[in-house]
Amino acid sequence: MRHLFLFSFAVWLAACPPTVALGQSLSAYDSPSQGASSFGQGPDISATYLKEAREYRKQGRYELARQSYAQALSTCRSNANLNIIKRELAGVELLLRTMR
């Protein structure tokens, strides 16, 4: 009797779709995530990080400037600004290396 119950339960699980067995629906996976749909929208915040990095560099706070340049680099959207940020970041890193 016990084996018959286990067998019938196994057959029922095999016949059911995985979403029913797990108690989930696919509706959560149908729509794209918020991050994927908002890509390319909103303000370009790399300009803010770039301005902050330049201020830190003027003050002689080169470690903070390097961090802000790295943030600007990771949030940059245009190739022209990307080249500027890379060049200024390389300058600050060279300055830090020579100071050590």
Side-chain angles (χ1 to χ4, degrees):
M1 182 70 175
R2 190 174 103 186
H3 295 288
L4 181 62
F5 176 72
L6 289 175
F7 179 74
S8 63
F9 183 69
V11 169
W12 179 77
L13 277 179
C16 293
T19 57
V20 175
L22 296 175
Q24 298 175 352
S25 68
L26 293 177
S27 63
Y29 301 106
D30 290 341
S31 62
S33 65
Q34 181 64 21
S37 65
S38 65
F39 179 75
Q41 299 175 358
D44 186 10
I45 59 173
S46 66
T48 306
Y49 288 127
L50 184 60
K51 181 179 175 184
E52 183 180 75
R54 288 175 176 165
E55 287 297 317
Y56 285 141
R57 190 183 63 200
K58 284 180 188 176
Q59 296 170 5
R61 302 168 78 183
Y62 301 115
E63 287 289 340
L64 291 173
R66 187 180 65 80
Q67 289 176 357
S68 293
Y69 278 123
Q71 288 174 326
L73 188 64
S74 68
T75 58
C76 187
R77 293 187 185 162
S78 69
N79 287 333
N81 288 342
L82 187 69
N83 291 332
I84 293 169
I85 294 168
K86 283 182 181 179
R87 188 175 59 237
E88 291 185 21
L89 177 61
V92 168
E93 286 180 340
L94 181 64
L95 218 151
L96 282 169
R97 248 184 283 147
T98 57
M99 290 176 71
R100 292 180 181 158

